[in-house]
Amino acid sequence: MKKLEQLYEGKAKKVFATEDPNVVIVDYKDDATAFNGLKKGTIAGKGVINNKMSNFMMRRLEEAGVPTHYIEQLSDRETAVKKVTILPLEVIVRNISAGSFAKHYGVKEGIVFDEPTIEFSYKNDDLGDPLLNAYHAVALKLATWEEIELVKKYTFMVNDFLKSYLKGIGIDLVDFKIEFGKTADGQIVLADEISPDTCRLWDEKTHEKLDKDRFRRDMGQVEDAYQEVMRRLMGE
Ligand code: TMP
């Protein structure tokens, strides 16, 4: 499959056209940003890890009945995916308190919830990705009720799968953010990525952070944390 013109460059990935109008190639970068691009840096080897981990999870999620954009991994950093229109909604699930939840509600990090929570934010950098509820999303025509119901159903399936898979390699899935897209024929599929950039991953015993919070919070050993997740997942 040949890369044609670049269609888009985001904070962590580039997207290229291919000869097939329904297929694009995603190219993962080592660039890292936080706080809506205010903090910038590089995490060496991150692009390779995020590409491989995301593909690893998407293949298994397909088997578990969640449709995804994944088609084929082309190289360490490149993957062919279905061309989609991204729904401008970030879907966030939390199993344990952390991050903005702990801050908003004035609680400590690490409270294990009896049931997962779900929330949406409006994917809009100019507005700083504000939180919104399903009624707001429908009012703003970001999605229909049917799409939101499907997104919720798939999102909890993703949580069930990821949580139990990661537990098997000694990692607690604290929270994560996913995005969905719509294909040319109108199907809603899981898109974007599943990686230590988009999940909070804590070692189940030591509670050591194995994710992008090490970069966001200047904790050091960022590359080591990404490598450790990769090693546990794939022995690499
Ligand atoms: P939060 O606690 O900062 O709201 O983050 C919740 C989850 O979403 C966490 O796993 C990190 C992820 N996330 C992203 O993937 N992209 C973002 O821009 C932000 C703010 C969070």
Side-chain angles (χ1 to χ4, degrees):
M1 203 168 298
K2 222 171 62 205
K3 252 178 172 173
L4 301 180
E5 81 274 13
Q6 184 175 307
L7 299 174
Y8 173 78
E9 177 162 9
K11 298 192 195 96
K13 300 186 281 294
K14 294 179 184 174
V15 180
F16 295 87
T18 68
E19 277 144 0
D20 184 333
N22 295 317
V23 178
V24 294
I25 294 174
V26 177
D27 189 338
Y28 285 75
K29 308 190 283 187
D30 286 349
D31 298 353
T33 64
F35 316 118
N36 201 15
L38 237 52
K39 182 184 174 90
K40 289 190 177 68
T42 303
I43 303 173
K46 170 172 89 80
V48 174
I49 290 171
N50 287 9
N51 184 39
K52 290 185 180 175
M53 175 169 171
S54 198
N55 293 341
F56 181 92
M57 291 305 181
M58 294 232 186
R59 283 185 217 112
R60 281 160 185 78
L61 283 164
E62 284 274 356
E63 287 166 14
V66 180
T68 79
H69 70 165
Y70 177 77
I71 300 175
E72 185 191 5
Q73 185 169 307
L74 302 174
S75 73
D76 274 1
R77 289 179 185 272
E78 296 165 310
T79 295
V81 300
K82 292 176 190 158
K83 183 169 185 172
V84 296
T85 307
I86 294 284
L87 298 183
L89 287 178
E90 299 198 338
V91 187
I92 296 152
V93 172
R94 302 178 192 271
N95 296 303
I96 300 175
S97 66
S100 68
F101 183 97
K103 204 171 157 208
H104 283 148
Y105 304 117
V107 296
K108 63 180 195 313
E109 296 200 316
I111 303 164
V112 179
F113 302 146
D114 291 340
E115 283 177 49
T117 69
I118 189 167
E119 72 207 44
F120 303 107
S121 56
Y122 179 18
K123 194 173 150 63
N124 183 318
D125 281 343
D126 293 339
L127 300 176
D129 299 338
L131 270 175
L132 86 187
N133 68 32
Y135 290 88
H136 299 150
V138 171
L140 292 168
K141 297 199 165 32
L142 308 182
T144 64
W145 281 113
E146 291 72 22
E147 287 166 348
I148 286 172
E149 284 311 312
L150 207 49
V151 159
K152 276 167 45 183
K153 183 178 105 173
Y154 291 152
T155 298
F156 285 120
M157 287 167 76
V158 171
N159 186 49
D160 287 345
F161 171 79
L162 284 182
K163 205 176 134 187
S164 80
Y165 195 93
L166 291 165
K167 195 71 186 169
I169 56 170
I171 292 174
D172 282 332
L173 177 62
V174 175
D175 55 32
F176 62 91
K177 182 270 300 178
I178 50 179
E179 296 178 21
F180 290 85
K182 205 193 269 193
T183 59
D185 56 8
Q187 198 194 7
I188 297 289
V189 298
L190 178 63
D192 194 48
E193 67 180 272
I194 296 173
S195 73
D197 273 15
T198 60
C199 301
R200 284 197 175 93
L201 306 169
W202 293 357
D203 179 88
E204 69 170 343
K205 294 211 177 72
T206 64
H207 298 154
E208 186 191 355
K209 296 188 198 309
L210 300 172
D211 59 62
K212 194 177 167 189
D213 269 351
R214 302 198 75 88
F215 169 80
R216 296 189 188 98
R217 303 179 187 188
D218 292 320
M219 298 171 73
Q221 292 171 303
V222 185
E223 281 87 358
D224 293 345
Y226 280 68
Q227 287 293 344
E228 177 60 18
V229 173
M230 195 61 184
R231 192 189 61 73
R232 291 195 201 182
L233 263 184
M234 300 190 199
E236 280 178 30

